[in-house]
Amino acid sequence: MDLDEVRRRLLQLHEAKLCFRPRYGYWEILLAPAAPVEIAGLVHQSATPLLDSALLLKGLHNRTGQVVLLHTYSPITGERLCIAAAGMHDVRLRRELAFTPGAVDRLRRAPLDADAPGLVMLANLAGHEASLRQDLRKIRSIQVALTDSPLPGWILVSVPLRRLPGAPAIPGAEPRVVAAVSVLVPEHVAGDPLVAYGRLMRNAAQAAVETSVVISRHRFAAASAA
């Protein structure tokens, strides 16, 4: 087998996420599990009805090929909490989480100012007249946050959600930020993650919320008619 054929097959494995390149000229084969399973302890148990949120996460995962997380926040503890995820079958991610003690716990639960999901919510929770730190002012302006993640070698790109898809809107009220949608991306990903994922996530989140308004109205109209 010549070198071109070896390279072609390695690239096929890389696209299937069965191997990765830790640095130029090196390839590492990853062992795939027999079937995708959830990562224990990642998702915080919540009574919040997710409704159509799972469809949003799955759609973003299908479009980006990356892990997608949904965080909300606790006004009592001031923490951000992961309440849903999509794409967690990524083999490399699962292996690195297994060898990084505490990373799963910190992805599930952390102070609001710890990383991108919490910061993008924090920047939008303060009133428009409130004085904000420079980093929070920038996040509020572009509606995207990017930071390192609790897992070394991975970053988080997050956008705010002003209403969970499928949840009813309150007529005449300005919606407050209730959650954040994030992609968990290897830090060596090609291009600018803010450009590659920020706009896509903002547009997808907005479309999901706007579409679900119609669905919610139909649901509540049907309930009222009954």
Side-chain angles (χ1 to χ4, degrees):
M1 185 181 300
D2 61 26
L3 290 178
D4 287 341
E5 178 64 14
V6 171
R7 178 178 174 79
R8 185 182 69 82
R9 295 192 180 188
L10 284 171
L11 287 173
Q12 289 176 338
L13 289 171
H14 186 263
E15 290 176 1
K17 296 190 176 183
L18 294 176
C19 79
F20 78 105
R21 303 176 70 176
R23 59 186 182 277
Y24 183 79
Y26 291 82
W27 299 81
E28 184 170 340
I29 304 296
L30 301 173
L31 298 178
V37 293
E38 295 298 323
I39 294 177
L42 176 67
V43 176
H44 183 80
Q45 296 299 315
S46 171
T48 303
L50 296 181
L51 303 172
D52 301 327
S53 299
L55 297 177
L56 170 61
L57 301 189
K58 183 177 179 181
L60 281 170
H61 168 64
N62 289 340
R63 295 181 68 179
T64 64
Q66 306 293 349
V67 174
V68 185
L69 305 173
L70 176 66
H71 288 88
T72 187
Y73 68 93
S74 168
I76 298 175
T77 64
E79 295 174 311
R80 57 112 177 108
L81 306 168
C82 180
I83 58 172
M88 294 305 297
H89 56 275
D90 184 288
V91 178
R92 178 188 171 192
L93 173 67
R94 297 176 68 88
R95 189 192 64 169
E96 294 190 15
L97 283 173
F99 285 96
T100 309
V104 171
D105 290 338
R106 293 191 298 274
L107 278 172
R108 181 185 75 250
R109 183 173 185 168
L112 275 174
D113 60 357
D115 49 30
L119 288 170
V120 82
M121 289 189 282
L122 193 60
N124 287 278
L125 285 171
H128 290 290
E129 303 302 321
S131 177
L132 292 176
R133 301 185 326 227
Q134 183 176 355
D135 60 333
L136 294 178
R137 288 201 304 270
K138 181 178 180 181
I139 290 170
R140 177 185 278 185
S141 174
I142 63 175
Q143 292 294 287
V144 182
L146 184 153
T147 65
D148 292 334
S149 84
L151 182 64
W154 295 71
I155 59 176
L156 284 161
V157 184
S158 307
V159 301
L161 266 180
R162 295 192 177 275
R163 183 164 53 81
L164 291 177
I170 301 175
E174 181 180 356
R176 291 174 57 86
V177 165
V178 297
V181 178
S182 310
V183 289
L184 182 61
V185 187
E187 62 182 8
H188 63 265
V189 66
D192 183 345
L194 279 175
V195 175
Y197 301 111
R199 181 179 299 176
L200 169 63
M201 289 196 297
R202 284 201 310 264
N203 292 343
Q206 185 65 27
V209 169
E210 289 178 351
T211 301
S212 69
V213 171
V214 177
I215 295 173
S216 296
R217 286 174 180 167
H218 285 321
R219 287 174 182 162
F220 285 95
S224 299

